[in-house]
Amino acid sequence: SPLLDVRELVVRYGRTTAVDGVSFQVDAGETVGLIGPSGCGKSSTAAAVLQLRRPHSGEIRFGGVELTALGERELRAVRPRVQPVFQDPYGSLSPRRRIRDQVAEPLRAQGRWSAATGPGRVRELLALVGLDGEHGGRLPHELSGGQCQRAGIARALASDPELLILDEPVSALDPSMRAGILNLLLELQETRGLGYLFICHDLAAVRHFSDRVLTMREGRLTAS
Ligand code: ADP
Ligand code: ADP
C-alpha cells in the first residue's frame, strides 16, 4: 500500500474552495512533483497533508493510518514521519534560538537525546546538509538564506522522516543558492531513500527530481 494516500481531498477557506476533490498516492521512496499556476491549491494540498490545515472533507492516509480522524495527541506520533520544507528559509526556524538547539529539538521531543550521543548526532545532521559546528552556534539571521534552508532541512531530517513535503523550497533563494539546495535534496533522495512531494515553479527541476508529475488547476488535478 502507498506511503501517502490522499483521497477526494477538499480544502476550503470560508467560501473559497482551494482544493476541490484531489486524489493521489506517493509510494515509499518515490518523488511526486506537483505543479500548476499560482493559486491553484498546491500549498493548501501540502498544508492538509502536513495536518497544518484540517481538510473540509476527504481522507489522508499515511502509512495506512487515516490522519483526518486523529486528535492532536495521536498526530504527534505521525508528524515526525512526514516533514515540511517551506519557501521562507527563516520562517520555519525560531529567530532567537541557535541552529544547533533547533536541530536538536526533534531528537529531544522523540526521546532520542542524550548528553553522550546528542551533540554528535546534531553535528552529523549539520554535516549532512553542508554546515559545520560554527554554523550550529549561530542564530538564523546570522546565516544566508541558503544556509538557513540547509539548517531547516537538517532539522527536518532529525525526525528521521520518510517523506518530505517540499513547498517551493528554493523559490525565495538567490539564484546562486538554488542549485546548491536542489543538489542537496537530490543527494538525500538517492542516499537516504527519502520520498518527496515536490512543489516547485522550476519545471526543469521538478521533472529532474520526480518519478511522476501531477498538474493542478483551479483546485483539481488535470490529466497530464
Ligand atoms: P504561491 O502562489 O507562491 O503559493 P501565494 O501568494 O498564493 O503564494 O500564497 C502565499 C501565502 O499566503 C500562503 O501561505 C497562502 O496560504 C497565503 N494566502 C494566499 N492567498 C490568501 C488569501 N486570499 N488570504 C489569506 N492568505 C492567503
Ligand atoms: P498555490 O500554492 O497553488 O499557489 P494556494 O493553496 O496557496 O495555491 O491557494 C489556493 C487558493 O486558496 C487561492 O485562491 C488562495 O488565494 C486561497 N488561499 C490560500 N490560503 C488562504 C488563506 N489562508 N485564506 C484564504 N484563502 C486562501
Side-chain angles (χ1 to χ4, degrees), residues 83-94 98-100 102-104 106 125-126 129 131 140 143-159 161 164-166 169 181 184-185 188:
Q83 284 286 303
V85 178
F86 294 115
Q87 183 169 345
D88 177 3
Y90 300 97
S92 59
L93 296 169
S94 83
R98 288 172 202 273
I99 295 301
R100 61 169 175 252
Q102 303 201 46
V103 174
L125 286 161
L126 288 173
V129 299
L131 300 177
L143 298 178
S144 71
Q147 289 169 336
C148 207
Q149 198 62 313
R150 288 172 189 275
I153 293 168
R155 188 179 190 284
L157 294 176
S159 298
L164 292 188
I165 309 293
L166 308 171
I181 296 295
L184 169 64
L185 291 169
L188 294 171

Side-chain angles (χ1 to χ4, degrees), residues 13 16 37-40 42-44 87 167-168 201:
Y13 304 94
T16 304
S38 189
C40 72
K42 303 182 298 295
S43 290
S44 299
Q87 183 169 345
D167 189 352
E168 302 282 3
H201 276 108

Side-chain angles (χ1 to χ4, degrees), residues 111-198:
R112 294 194 283 124
W113 176 270
S114 77
T117 63
R121 182 70 190 129
V122 168
R123 271 196 304 276
E124 272 172 30
L125 286 161
L126 288 173
L128 202 61
V129 299
L131 300 177
D132 60 25
E134 202 263 318
H135 297 116
R138 296 197 207 164
L139 297 170
H141 72 264
E142 295 168 331
L143 298 178
S144 71
Q147 289 169 336
C148 207
Q149 198 62 313
R150 288 172 189 275
I153 293 168
R155 188 179 190 284
L157 294 176
S159 298
D160 216 2
E162 291 149 82
L163 181 69
L164 292 188
I165 309 293
L166 308 171
D167 189 352
E168 302 282 3
V170 298
S171 301
L173 302 180
D174 288 342
S176 63
M177 292 178 182
R178 286 184 192 161
I181 296 295
L182 288 173
N183 282 334
L184 169 64
L185 291 169
L186 266 180
E187 203 177 291
L188 294 171
Q189 188 184 44
E190 283 163 12
T191 58
R192 297 175 66 96
L194 267 175
Y196 298 144
L197 180 63
F198 187 42

